[in-house]
Amino acid sequence: MKRNELYAYITASFALLVPVPGRLAYGIVLIAMLNLLMLCATLFRRLVPLLKLDGLHPVLIAVFLVAMTVLFKQWLICFSPLMALVLGFAVYMPAVSSFMIGYLYKKGPDSLVHELFRNMGQSGRFSLYALGFFLFRDVFGYGTVTLPSREGLLTLPLVKAGEAAVHVGVFWASIPGALVLSALLVVLISSVTRALELARPDGYAGQEASHAE
């Protein structure tokens, strides 16, 4: 993972993962929305040059993402009013995250197919990371696995509500627990990335050159 991608993951993690309740069901909804926004925004940015509004490219992408989010929230209200109520303002966080982890704000000569593969690849990798994050909090924080449903949550209990494991792990269901978990994962990813860079044949030479400068 490149350093700028790591920074994007950190920003997206704190924006999308921390303020949301630690339930896999909410994670599934938000990650589905993230990928939909990434797909539609990548296609939309191809229309900007046709409208001869290249100077407004970042603004138009941001407005488009917000407009898509509003439409998605209306659909979510129709599908499950309870989920829409619980998520609240967090529904707008995938718009911020898609803008950060993708290349929607950069103009380049790449073909549409290349842009789709690049942006959806970034979105897909972050989606796996985010779903694992939500699953961990759901299992160890609540002792359940949840899925979206019209009634709000379809809950699949893994342990009984009164068992000690639930009380011990309830920290991971809280916002401080989400912050700690995010920080631990960022440190882990950063350490692995640095180790892989140093393991490459040119890694040590690159480090020496950077120190010399």
Side-chain angles (χ1 to χ4, degrees):
M1 180 183 294
K2 298 179 181 178
R3 192 171 298 275
N4 60 337
E5 292 179 3
L6 177 61
Y7 294 151
Y9 267 49
I10 294 173
T11 305
S13 295
F14 285 106
L16 180 61
L17 306 184
V18 173
V20 179
R23 296 288 196 170
L24 179 61
Y26 298 128
I28 292 174
V29 171
L30 293 180
I31 295 306
M33 181 181 177
L34 172 68
N35 285 276
L36 177 63
L37 289 176
M38 187 69 76
L39 175 62
C40 294
T42 303
L43 296 175
F44 174 78
R45 58 173 282 155
R46 282 289 167 168
L47 295 177
V48 175
L50 298 179
L51 299 174
K52 301 186 183 302
L53 295 172
D54 291 352
L56 297 175
H57 175 266
V59 177
L60 291 175
I61 292 295
V63 171
F64 177 80
L65 290 173
V66 173
M68 286 291 297
T69 301
V70 171
L71 293 176
F72 186 91
K73 186 172 184 179
Q74 295 306 309
W75 172 86
L76 184 61
I77 291 174
C78 295
F79 173 75
S80 177
L82 181 58
M83 292 193 73
L85 178 64
V86 171
L87 287 174
F89 187 75
V91 172
Y92 293 91
M93 291 300 101
V96 178
S97 300
S98 63
F99 197 79
M100 292 303 302
I101 67 176
Y103 293 85
L104 302 177
Y105 55 90
K106 294 181 179 179
K107 294 183 291 183
D110 298 333
S111 66
L112 176 59
V113 174
H114 185 271
E115 283 191 13
L116 283 173
F117 272 104
R118 183 178 59 180
N119 285 341
M120 296 311 297
Q122 284 284 87
S123 180
R125 287 191 292 272
F126 182 80
S127 297
L128 294 176
Y129 166 78
L131 289 175
F133 185 92
F134 280 109
L135 181 61
F136 179 92
R137 293 184 68 198
D138 204 349
V139 172
F140 291 96
Y142 297 95
T144 61
V145 173
T146 55
L147 298 173
S149 72
R150 284 190 166 275
E151 291 72 27
L153 298 178
L154 175 62
T155 304
L156 307 174
L158 301 179
V159 296
K160 294 181 180 179
E163 291 187 6
V166 177
H167 297 292
V168 172
V170 73
F171 171 73
W172 300 115
S174 64
I175 291 180
L179 283 170
V180 171
L181 182 59
S182 295
L184 291 175
L185 289 175
V186 166
V187 171
L188 176 62
I189 294 174
S190 178
S191 300
V192 172
T193 301
R194 182 176 177 82
L196 291 176
E197 288 178 352
L198 293 176
R200 291 185 302 183
D202 59 339
Y204 182 76
Q207 289 290 325
E208 290 294 329
S210 63
H211 287 308
E213 292 176 358

